[in-house]
């Protein structure tokens, strides 16, 4: 096994199950397996794109890593620290290095707080800066994300969606983190604004050496910012490789279906759309064997019984896929 020292984030067999309770006494009758055995690693200064359709568990992975949601099982190692084994005091110290950019730039900002208080709140909470020092730090952060210091006295409702997301990014940068979970950070923005925010995040990464977990459902966006991409389906990763390899050679049937849905700007290029049949199974009652087999056009008897683990496909570049049929499709 490769040394874990060169990885900032090391997630191993992560599981997050939510109990289903019924009756007067709240008896547990089952579990929603939102995340069911996810493993990946992220090198310092790199970006891992985590993609999949709504409800596959992407956001739960990000929030579980940050311990905003408690895990059911598995391990998360961050910079040599066992995140799940830390006490409240140690976890508070570690939170300076781990931050989150929320999906909705409207609901994630307190409408009763000024921008200065939103961005500077963490500086006060962690006793890093106060008074004039905090104001100078807030002004620097606003300029870094493309806003002006005079914006600090305004309230969130006075800004556009793109500007609000810049405020959210400034808040995430306030404690000089090493790792940021970007939870659908551009999905609520117009396409023209998305490119501006993506460019800003890439510039910040180069400038500050940031490491990103970029969660999204839009594969066209993920292609431009990610070094590696992990594709999730029903709480599991079904394919993992470099961004360049994934977009030139998708192997899992689910990944191919997602790729076929990406709009092509050239009307002369016609690509056959792969339409998946059936419905996404319930995470409270996932199918046996491969979780994708009820919708897979290449499914066979073996797929309904045996669970396939992520295995290396081909030689050279790391390309791991959870599919019995890959290589013969």
């Amino acid at each position: 096994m490769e040394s874990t020292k060169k990885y900032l984030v090391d997630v191993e067999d992560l599981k997050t199950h939510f109990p289903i309770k019924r009756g007067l006494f709240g008896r547990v009758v089952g579990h929603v397996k939102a995340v069911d055995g996810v493993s990946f690693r992220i090198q310092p200064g790199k970006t891992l794109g985590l993609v999949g359709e709504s409800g596959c568990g992407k956001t739960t992975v990000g929030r579980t890593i940050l311990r905003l949601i408690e895990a059911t099982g598995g391990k998360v190692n961050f910079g040599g620290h066992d995140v799940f084994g830390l006490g409240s005091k140690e976890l508070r110290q570690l939170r300076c290095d781990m931050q989150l950019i929320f999906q909705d730039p409207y609901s994630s900002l307190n409408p009763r707080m000024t921008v200065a208080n939103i961005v500077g709140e963490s500086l006060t909470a962690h006793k890093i800066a106060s008074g004039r020092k905090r104001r100078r730090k807030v002004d620097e952060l606003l300029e870094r994300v493309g806003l002006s210091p005079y914006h600090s006295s305004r309230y969130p409702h006075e800004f556009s969606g793109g500007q609000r997301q810049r405020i959210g990014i400034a808040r995430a940068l306030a404690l000089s983190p090493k790792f940021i979970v970007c939870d659908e950070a551009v999905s609520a923005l117009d396409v023209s604004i998305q490119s501006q925010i993506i460019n800003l995040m890439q510039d910040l990464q180069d400038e500050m050496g940031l490491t990103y977990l970029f969660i999204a459902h839009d594969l066209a966006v993920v292609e431009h910012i990610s070094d590696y991409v992990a594709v999730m389906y029903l709480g599991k990763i079904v394919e993992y490789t470099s961004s360049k390899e994934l977009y030139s050679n998708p192997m899992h049937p689910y990944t191919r279906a997602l790729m076929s849905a990406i709009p092509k700007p050239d009307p002369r290029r016609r690509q056959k759309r792969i339409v998946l049949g059936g419905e996404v199974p319930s995470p409270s009652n996932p199918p046996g064997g491969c979780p994708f087999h009820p919708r897979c056009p290449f499914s066979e008897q073996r797929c309904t019984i045996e669970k396939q683990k992520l295995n290396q496909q081909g030689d050279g570049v790391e390309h791991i896929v959870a599919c019995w049929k890959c290589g013969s499709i």
Side-chain angles (χ1 to χ4, degrees):
M1 180 179 289
E2 296 179 83
S3 172
T4 60
K5 291 183 178 180
K6 68 176 183 178
Y7 297 100
L8 179 66
V9 181
D10 186 355
V11 179
E12 182 181 345
D13 197 28
L14 184 66
K15 296 179 181 179
T16 308
H17 299 171
F18 299 104
I20 301 172
K21 297 181 180 180
R22 290 179 183 168
L24 181 63
F25 300 101
R27 182 170 58 91
V28 176
V29 296
H31 289 84
V32 174
K33 298 178 179 179
V35 180
D36 196 25
V38 165
S39 300
F40 58 80
R41 294 170 173 173
I42 312 176
Q43 295 177 340
K46 300 294 184 180
T47 300
L48 172 66
L50 189 61
V51 301
E53 58 194 335
S54 297
C56 70
K58 308 183 300 295
T59 293
T60 305
V61 168
R63 298 195 176 205
T64 305
I65 291 173
L66 299 178
R67 272 189 67 179
L68 298 178
I69 300 174
E70 290 299 326
T72 304
K75 297 180 180 179
V76 173
N77 186 288
F78 177 82
H81 300 279
D82 178 8
V83 175
F84 296 160
L86 296 177
S88 58
K89 184 178 179 180
E90 293 82 6
L91 182 61
R92 179 182 174 85
Q93 295 173 347
L94 192 65
R95 288 205 187 281
C96 293
D97 292 331
M98 306 169 69
Q99 290 294 311
L100 173 66
I101 299 174
F102 294 91
Q103 174 180 356
D104 189 351
Y106 292 89
S107 63
S108 62
L109 302 180
N110 191 329
R112 298 183 180 183
M113 295 175 66
T114 63
V115 171
N117 288 331
I118 290 171
V119 177
E121 184 179 24
S122 59
L123 297 172
T124 302
H126 287 270
K127 300 179 180 179
I128 294 174
S130 60
R132 292 182 179 178
K133 185 177 179 182
R134 191 184 90 150
R135 285 197 295 273
R136 286 196 300 270
K137 179 69 173 176
V138 169
D139 290 346
E140 291 173 3
L141 289 166
L142 292 178
E143 289 181 332
R144 179 170 279 180
V145 299
L147 297 175
S148 300
Y150 68 79
H151 286 136
S152 62
S153 60
R154 297 185 180 182
Y155 290 86
H157 73 272
E158 301 179 69
F159 297 92
S160 66
Q163 289 175 319
R164 288 183 184 216
Q165 197 60 294
R166 290 176 187 269
I167 295 169
I169 293 172
R171 176 175 58 184
L173 296 176
L175 298 177
S176 301
K178 298 177 182 177
F179 173 60
I180 298 180
V181 174
C182 310
D183 183 15
E184 302 268 15
V186 298
S187 64
L189 307 177
D190 293 338
V191 175
S192 60
I193 305 300
Q194 285 184 4
S195 62
Q196 295 177 19
I197 298 300
I198 290 295
N199 291 336
L200 171 63
M201 294 177 64
Q202 289 178 318
D203 291 341
L204 291 170
Q205 185 174 42
D206 294 337
E207 179 185 341
M208 303 176 65
L210 297 171
T211 304
Y212 293 139
L213 174 62
F214 192 86
I215 298 169
H217 62 267
D218 188 340
L219 274 80
V221 171
V222 171
E223 181 180 7
H224 294 290
I225 193 172
S226 301
D227 298 291
Y228 298 89
V229 180
V231 181
M232 279 192 72
Y233 182 81
L234 206 65
K236 297 179 181 292
I237 291 178
V238 296
E239 186 165 5
Y240 172 88
T241 187
S242 67
S243 178
K244 182 179 180 180
E245 171 70 9
L246 185 82
Y247 286 87
S248 62
N249 183 32
M251 300 190 73
H252 196 281
Y254 177 63
T255 307
R256 292 185 179 188
L258 292 179
M259 292 290 188
S260 73
I262 299 177
K264 303 297 181 184
D266 187 351
R268 293 170 298 181
R269 288 187 60 189
R270 295 189 177 276
Q271 181 175 335
K272 185 178 179 181
R273 175 72 188 274
I274 301 174
V275 180
L276 299 175
E279 298 291 335
V280 180
S282 170
S284 62
N285 185 28
C290 173
F292 186 60
H293 86 259
R295 305 174 70 195
C296 180
F298 307 102
S299 176
E300 56 186 31
Q301 183 64 27
R302 184 183 190 184
C303 302
T304 66
I305 301 172
E306 301 180 45
K307 290 185 178 181
Q308 170 66 309
K309 296 182 179 180
L310 288 164
N311 291 317
Q312 174 71 30
Q313 299 293 321
D315 300 321
V317 65
E318 183 182 23
H319 194 155
I320 51 178
V321 187
C323 180
W324 297 110
K325 301 285 289 183
C326 283
S328 60
I329 297 174

